[in-house]
Amino acid sequence: QVPLVESGGGSVQAGGSLKLSCVASGFIDNSYCMGWFRQAPGKEREEVAGIDSGGSTNYADSVKGRFTISKDNAKKTLYLQMNSLKPEDTGMYYCAADRDFGGRCLFGYWGQGTQVTVSS
């Protein structure tokens, strides 16, 4: 069973918006920290945003003020609202999670990714 399943990617023009969703399987619960990562062709994967089990969030400098991470514990769903999209936001977006032991999230569980393409 795939622990995390992303959806919501697509193609959009610069300045547009997309909302990504990530549904977690049964064993992932509210005690987990979760995050969104992205990887563009030829580039290393980077963390875009994270949220811990208590709801505290963090963002990469490149997306602050444009992206918002949130979660619905009842639906076991993680979201990433992306506004004012730029061509450099293009990439495969992955959802990740792990047990929250405090400190840095280890992100041991991953989804298969959803593609986001932003055209200029």
Side-chain angles (χ1 to χ4, degrees), residues 12-52:
V12 64
Q13 289 191 327
S17 298
L18 284 174
K19 186 173 184 178
L20 306 183
S21 298
C22 171
V23 179
S25 64
F27 73 90
I28 295 178
D29 60 25
N30 299 335
S31 68
Y32 280 63
C33 47
M34 303 185 75
W36 288 98
F37 290 73
R38 69 185 178 192
Q39 187 166 21
K43 295 188 177 181
E44 293 188 355
R45 184 177 62 196
E46 63 173 339
E47 184 175 355
V48 174
I51 186 167
D52 67 17

Side-chain angles (χ1 to χ4, degrees), residues 85-100:
L85 283 162
K86 304 176 180 180
E88 50 264 43
D89 294 319
T90 294
M92 185 69 78
Y93 282 69
Y94 298 91
C95 173
D98 213 318
R99 291 291 302 275
D100 189 350

Side-chain angles (χ1 to χ4, degrees), residues 29-89:
D29 60 25
N30 299 335
S31 68
Y32 280 63
C33 47
M34 303 185 75
W36 288 98
F37 290 73
R38 69 185 178 192
Q39 187 166 21
K43 295 188 177 181
E44 293 188 355
R45 184 177 62 196
E46 63 173 339
E47 184 175 355
V48 174
I51 186 167
D52 67 17
S53 59
S56 295
T57 60
N58 62 275
Y59 297 92
D61 288 343
S62 59
V63 306
K64 281 181 181 176
R66 299 189 298 122
F67 290 11
T68 301
I69 188 171
S70 62
K71 62 179 179 174
D72 184 328
N73 290 332
K75 295 182 178 180
K76 292 190 174 182
T77 302
L78 180 72
Y79 301 101
L80 185 68
Q81 177 66 49
M82 305 186 294
N83 299 327
S84 302
L85 283 162
K86 304 176 180 180
E88 50 264 43
D89 294 319

